[in-house]
PDB file of all heavy atoms in Angstrom:
ATOM      1  N   LEU A  24      46.823 -85.975 159.406  1.00 92.00           N
ATOM      2  CA  LEU A  24      46.828 -85.733 157.955  1.00 92.00           C
ATOM      3  C   LEU A  24      45.614 -84.940 157.428  1.00 92.00           C
ATOM      4  O   LEU A  24      45.375 -84.837 156.272  1.00 92.00           O
ATOM      5  CB  LEU A  24      46.875 -87.108 157.188  1.00 92.00           C
ATOM      6  CG  LEU A  24      48.016 -88.029 157.574  1.00 92.00           C
ATOM      7  CD1 LEU A  24      47.887 -89.313 156.738  1.00 92.00           C
ATOM      8  CD2 LEU A  24      49.343 -87.307 157.237  1.00 92.00           C
ATOM      9  N   ILE A  25      44.854 -84.352 158.380  1.00 91.00           N
ATOM     10  CA  ILE A  25      43.647 -83.641 157.970  1.00 91.00           C
ATOM     11  C   ILE A  25      43.905 -82.512 157.023  1.00 91.00           C
ATOM     12  O   ILE A  25      43.085 -82.181 156.156  1.00 91.00           O
ATOM     13  CB  ILE A  25      42.832 -83.202 159.200  1.00 91.00           C
ATOM     14  CG1 ILE A  25      41.407 -82.802 158.781  1.00 91.00           C
ATOM     15  CG2 ILE A  25      43.579 -82.065 159.918  1.00 91.00           C
ATOM     16  CD1 ILE A  25      40.494 -82.529 159.979  1.00 91.00           C
ATOM     17  N   GLY A  77      34.992 -69.149 159.119  1.00 89.00           N
ATOM     18  CA  GLY A  77      35.938 -70.164 159.611  1.00 89.00           C
ATOM     19  C   GLY A  77      35.899 -70.257 161.077  1.00 89.00           C
ATOM     20  O   GLY A  77      35.135 -69.601 161.786  1.00 89.00           O
ATOM     21  N   ASP A  80      39.698 -74.876 165.696  1.00 95.00           N
ATOM     22  CA  ASP A  80      39.310 -76.137 166.296  1.00 95.00           C
ATOM     23  C   ASP A  80      40.395 -76.507 167.369  1.00 95.00           C
ATOM     24  O   ASP A  80      41.497 -76.839 166.988  1.00 95.00           O
ATOM     25  CB  ASP A  80      39.240 -77.194 165.206  1.00 95.00           C
ATOM     26  CG  ASP A  80      39.008 -78.579 165.710  1.00 95.00           C
ATOM     27  OD1 ASP A  80      38.548 -78.718 166.847  1.00 95.00           O
ATOM     28  OD2 ASP A  80      39.268 -79.550 164.980  1.00 95.00           O
ATOM     29  N   ALA A 115      34.955-101.867 165.236  1.00 94.00           N
ATOM     30  CA  ALA A 115      33.818-102.453 164.517  1.00 94.00           C
ATOM     31  C   ALA A 115      34.341-103.542 163.598  1.00 94.00           C
ATOM     32  O   ALA A 115      35.544-103.592 163.343  1.00 94.00           O
ATOM     33  CB  ALA A 115      33.060-101.378 163.717  1.00 94.00           C
ATOM     34  N   ARG A 185      49.634-101.952 154.863  1.00 46.00           N
ATOM     35  CA  ARG A 185      48.253-101.519 155.020  1.00 46.00           C
ATOM     36  C   ARG A 185      47.884-101.223 156.450  1.00 46.00           C
ATOM     37  O   ARG A 185      48.263-101.911 157.381  1.00 46.00           O
ATOM     38  CB  ARG A 185      47.363-102.675 154.538  1.00 46.00           C
ATOM     39  CG  ARG A 185      45.885-102.308 154.534  1.00 46.00           C
ATOM     40  CD  ARG A 185      45.074-103.557 154.052  1.00 46.00           C
ATOM     41  NE  ARG A 185      43.660-103.241 154.017  1.00 46.00           N
ATOM     42  CZ  ARG A 185      43.027-102.742 152.947  1.00 46.00           C
ATOM     43  NH1 ARG A 185      43.708-102.505 151.862  1.00 46.00           N
ATOM     44  NH2 ARG A 185      41.735-102.523 152.978  1.00 46.00           N
TER      45      ARG A 185
END
Side-chain angles (χ1 to χ4, degrees):
L24 303 178
I25 193 171
D80 174 18
R185 185 182 181 91

